[in-house]
């Protein structure tokens, strides 16, 4: 076992659980209306079929608000929003950026995460912004501040 063998670094459901536990310590909060009136989890929802994924992709961490009836995930309103990259890769990226003293280039990130250079650049940029603003500070896991 090592830090890198933590499930949230490779398992998408575990990644969502981890981020939810950090960002929603009191339980899910609707990002649309702020309701905490027990939004409920939607399970088994898949994205639209595409050529690459004819059966669609299972959507993790999807909730529906009882008050405004809108759907949301923990990614909304965070640096993870509007990214197609799986959440577990984001967690890997954050770990890499915070554990390398000299920082890490987008090219290196692209090779390690096996994502496109554009995606890697976007990740690095967003994570740096988050680090600078101090938001999302308790991410990183194991009590480490990121
Ligand atoms: Zn709501």
């Amino acid at each position: 076992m090592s830090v890198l063998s933590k499930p949230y670094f490779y398992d998408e459901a575990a990644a969502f659980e981890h981020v939810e536990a950090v960002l929603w310590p009191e339980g899910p909060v609707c990002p649309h209306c702020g309701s905490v009136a027990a939004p409920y989890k939607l399970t088994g929802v898949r994205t639209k079929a595409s050529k690459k994924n004819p059966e669609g992709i299972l959507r993790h961490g999807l909730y529906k608000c009882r008050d405004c009836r809108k759907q949301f995930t923990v990614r909304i309103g965070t640096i993870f929003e509007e990214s197609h990259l799986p959440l577990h890769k984001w967690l890997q990226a954050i770990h890499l950026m915070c554990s390398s003293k000299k920082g890490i280039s987008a090219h290196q990130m692209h090779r390690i995460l096996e994502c496109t250079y554009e995606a890697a650049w976007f990740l690095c940029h967003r994570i740096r912004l988050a680090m600078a603003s101090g938001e999302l500070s308790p991410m990183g896991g194991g009590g480490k501040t990121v």
Side-chain angles (χ1 to χ4, degrees), residues 118-131:
E118 287 71 24
W121 186 91
F122 179 76
L123 275 168
C124 291
H125 184 70
R126 276 232 169 146
I127 293 169
R128 256 183 235 115
L129 279 181
M131 286 164 131

Side-chain angles (χ1 to χ4, degrees), residues 1-22 60 74-75 80 85-96 98-99 113 137-146:
M1 283 294 278
S2 72
V3 172
L4 293 175
S5 58
K6 290 202 194 310
Y8 57 74
F9 282 136
Y10 57 87
D11 181 78
E12 189 66 354
F16 267 93
E17 271 171 34
H18 177 69
V19 174
E20 287 176 8
V22 172
H60 290 280
V74 73
R75 293 172 76 131
F80 313 122
L85 216 63
L87 196 57
H88 68 269
K89 287 211 178 182
W90 273 93
L91 298 182
Q92 291 179 6
I94 291 171
H95 178 77
L96 286 168
C98 298
S99 57
L113 296 186
S137 44
M139 286 290 315
K144 273 180 293 163
T145 313
V146 169

Side-chain angles (χ1 to χ4, degrees), residues 28-42 62-73:
V29 182
C30 173
H32 305 293
C33 69
S35 173
V36 289
Y40 54 96
K41 204 161 188 173
L42 299 172
L62 192 64
Y63 289 85
K64 189 161 180 177
C65 176
R66 284 185 210 274
D67 285 332
C68 70
R69 317 294 301 162
K70 287 180 185 156
Q71 295 182 359
F72 60 93
T73 74

